[in-house]
Amino acid sequence: MTEENLYDITIIGGGPTGMFAAFYGGMRQMKVKIIESMPQLGGQLSALYPEKYIYDVAGFPKVLAQDLVNNLKVQAEQFNPDVVLEESVQTVEKKEDHFELTTDKDTHYSKAVIITAGVGAFQPRRIELENAKQFEGKSLLYFVNDLQAFAGKKVLVAGGGDSALDWSLMLESIAEEVTLTHRRAKFRAHEHSVEQLFNSSVKVKTPYQIKELIHDNEKITHVLLENEDVEEKIEVDAVIVNYGFVSSLGPIKNWGLNIERNSIIVNSKMETNIPGIYAAGDICTYDGKVKLIAAGFGEAPTAVNNAKTYIDPKAKTQPQHSTSLF
């Protein structure tokens, strides 16, 4: 380790909370690094629903997920944080005056650590049907990067949560035809979205399950739906499955942190049980915790400010207002 490769704060996780933490670390004149396991910053926003609107970020009546990520990136880049992509942190070890973070590719050094890893490693719940795997990423999708790819096509969306309804409603004006199927009669989405759905041209099939994917060896051409003894065959160009995601903390659970229900326990300073390690965003929990992007944006500065005083006890936890810094 040298002074050159020792950072004040290393942020594990490059989602919205991690990106805002990187910006705020720059505001406190700290040397910051982000380590992200995905090929790009943005977390679930970029990986799962870049073209979906987000409605609960203060100051934005609605904002596309990828636009929010792009703005967060521009905001953070004012202070030139180092960004390391496609590396997964395996171990975090406390040394005398710093932490040693070992990834699957390298070793990093930091005076303090902020974990903003969201829900941890996540994978979509896949549909368990014969031959489904051979069509993944082609005519069978678990998330969408480009809505326009469905222009003029017949699309079947499977699922009953917010994401399934959001995709259906967003595709309504783009696709030739959109059908939404759910195994239950009631949806798990917000009431407003359900109301929009039934006032739209989206065809709703409930309670139906996908029984079979019919194909021509190149792509899925039809889907066989089943409702008890009733079957219905629907012509499709693409199937979007949104049965939710399975998440795992992965190596984080072996770092000696206090964990409750796959979340890291923190106090009001965003401190974990290990001095010098903080957590913010969906990865952490405390009494009254609300898992929203907006909550993460508030927790990130708290973690950064307390990490600042951990590194330098003479520093002020409460910084100047940003208007006095520019």
Side-chain angles (χ1 to χ4, degrees):
M1 187 196 72
T2 65
E3 193 64 32
E4 186 178 340
N5 63 12
L6 177 63
Y7 287 75
D8 292 318
I9 291 178
T10 295
I11 298 164
I12 302 174
T17 298
M19 295 171 77
F20 191 60
F23 158 75
Y24 209 86
M27 291 276 285
R28 294 305 311 266
Q29 296 184 311
M30 303 171 83
K31 185 180 177 183
V32 178
K33 175 184 282 184
I34 301 176
I35 301 177
E36 166 59 48
S37 62
M38 300 290 285
Q40 73 283 318
L41 294 175
Q44 290 191 55
L45 272 65
S46 291
L48 304 182
Y49 41 86
E51 296 205 43
K52 280 178 60 178
Y53 281 108
I54 296 171
Y55 298 93
D56 53 7
V57 176
F60 292 93
K62 64 177 183 178
V63 57
L64 282 173
Q66 192 58 49
D67 287 347
L68 179 61
V69 169
N70 292 342
N71 286 338
L72 284 163
K73 187 176 179 183
V74 170
Q75 187 178 35
E77 283 176 346
Q78 297 176 81
F79 300 106
N80 299 310
D82 279 355
V83 177
V84 177
L85 299 175
E86 296 187 89
E87 285 192 30
S88 177
V89 180
Q90 303 298 309
T91 62
V92 175
E93 193 174 345
K94 180 72 184 289
K95 301 296 183 181
E96 189 174 329
D97 59 354
H98 68 276
F99 291 90
E100 184 176 289
L101 294 82
T102 304
T103 72
D104 49 351
K105 296 178 182 177
D106 205 350
T107 302
H108 306 266
Y109 306 95
S110 190
K111 297 176 184 176
V113 174
I114 301 178
I115 304 171
T116 57
V119 295
F122 56 89
Q123 291 290 330
R125 292 185 188 275
R126 287 175 160 77
I127 191 166
E128 296 181 3
L129 289 174
E130 186 180 357
N131 298 324
K133 195 167 184 63
Q134 74 181 84
F135 299 108
E136 287 183 5
K138 301 169 187 174
S139 51
L140 174 62
L141 303 158
Y142 293 99
F143 49 88
V144 178
N145 290 321
D146 181 12
L147 287 171
Q148 294 304 318
F150 300 93
K153 294 185 176 181
K154 295 181 179 180
V155 182
L156 176 77
V157 180
D162 285 303
S163 292
L165 269 69
D166 287 349
W167 284 126
S168 299
L169 292 168
M170 291 176 72
L171 286 167
E172 180 191 11
S173 62
I174 296 171
E176 177 188 339
E177 179 181 282
V178 179
T179 303
L180 174 64
T181 183
H182 182 42
R183 61 187 175 133
R184 296 190 177 95
K186 290 186 177 181
F187 292 98
R188 293 175 284 105
H190 285 96
E191 292 89 342
H192 177 65
S193 297
V194 175
E195 182 182 359
Q196 282 185 296
L197 175 70
F198 284 104
N199 288 325
S200 73
S201 64
V202 175
K203 297 179 179 180
V204 179
K205 301 288 183 182
T206 61
Y208 278 88
Q209 294 196 71
I210 298 177
K211 181 179 181 181
E212 184 182 352
L213 301 174
I214 302 167
H215 57 88
D216 61 7
N217 289 323
E218 291 186 6
K219 71 181 194 70
I220 299 168
T221 58
H222 296 80
V223 171
L224 188 64
L225 299 179
E226 182 181 48
N227 176 1
E228 294 183 350
D229 296 328
V230 178
E231 292 184 349
E232 185 173 347
K233 186 177 177 182
I234 295 178
E235 182 182 358
V236 297
D237 296 300
V239 178
I240 302 172
V241 174
N242 198 294
Y243 290 162
F245 293 85
V246 179
S247 61
S248 168
L249 288 182
I252 294 175
K253 63 179 179 288
N254 300 318
W255 296 352
L257 298 163
N258 286 342
I259 292 172
E260 179 182 276
R261 295 182 182 177
N262 280 333
S263 296
I264 301 168
I265 299 172
V266 296
N267 61 18
S268 60
K269 297 180 179 181
M270 298 294 115
E271 293 172 322
T272 70
N273 59 299
I274 301 176
I277 299 183
Y278 303 79
D282 286 355
I283 194 72
C284 74
T285 189
Y286 48 82
D287 285 346
K289 166 74 177 184
V290 177
K291 293 197 174 186
L292 291 174
I293 293 173
F297 286 163
E299 293 162 2
T302 300
V304 169
N305 287 329
N306 284 287
K308 176 76 174 180
T309 55
Y310 169 80
I311 294 167
D312 179 8
K314 295 180 181 178
K316 293 182 178 179
T317 303
Q318 181 63 46
Q320 290 179 289
H321 293 291
S322 61
T323 49
S324 64
L325 298 176
F326 290 95

